[in-house]
Amino acid sequence: MHSRFQTRALSSFIALSACTMPALASEPITNAPPDQFAWERTAEGVGFAALDGNRFEEAYMAMVRLPAGLVSPAHTKSATMYGVVVSGVLVHTEAGVGKNEETRLPPGSFYKIPADLPHVSKCVSSTDCVTFLYQDGRFDFLPVQP
């Protein structure tokens, strides 16, 4: 009798496990060490290394490199941006905010810039600033008048 109980319990466990096991992934793991990034540089010297998605057509993820000392003009984006600073020190502020109100973002910092919010981005370190960036829509850069 004890043996029948164990057999039923084991059968139930196997059936339950089969129902709750995750399906096999249809895509393999993507690994991208930094020395394999394909950097593209804009006329302003900003580098983009695509990780997922085409930034000119859809939501995307990329590594972005801002040159040391770069200060962008005030601008907006049509999509919300989410980022994590990897190296350097960044500052993102709403357009018109004074220097005393800036928050310095060292490596490990997170930032979110809402869509359509006029802002200025700066790399305030003596080394280039690298950030992981996710944007929930296509890339654009829309200058705003001061």
Side-chain angles (χ1 to χ4, degrees), residues 8-143:
R8 284 187 195 154
L10 181 58
S11 296
S12 296
F13 175 74
I14 291 170
L16 182 60
S17 295
C19 293
T20 60
M21 292 185 73
L24 295 177
S26 60
E27 290 185 37
I29 293 173
T30 299
N31 290 308
D35 63 347
Q36 294 180 8
F37 293 164
W39 289 97
E40 298 174 7
R41 191 171 303 274
T42 68
E44 299 78 23
V46 175
F48 284 88
L51 299 174
D52 190 59
N54 180 329
R55 76 178 193 266
F56 297 110
E57 297 176 6
E58 61 192 344
Y60 68 95
M61 288 183 271
M63 299 303 291
V64 179
R65 178 182 289 137
L66 302 176
L70 178 114
V71 178
S72 76
H75 64 285
T76 64
K77 306 270 187 188
S78 299
T80 298
M81 296 174 54
Y82 304 85
V84 176
V85 179
V86 175
S87 63
V89 180
L90 284 170
V91 170
H92 297 291
T93 58
E94 291 185 35
V97 169
K99 188 169 177 84
N100 293 339
E101 298 177 54
E102 294 180 349
T103 300
R104 295 171 63 88
L105 302 171
S109 298
F110 168 80
Y111 61 91
K112 174 184 173 184
I113 303 172
D116 304 316
L117 178 70
H119 65 280
V120 173
S121 297
K122 304 176 187 180
C123 177
V124 298
S125 54
S126 60
T127 59
D128 290 352
C129 295
V130 177
T131 183
F132 167 80
L133 179 71
Y134 168 72
Q135 193 163 340
D136 65 5
R138 68 178 185 80
F139 172 85
D140 55 12
F141 185 97
L142 307 168

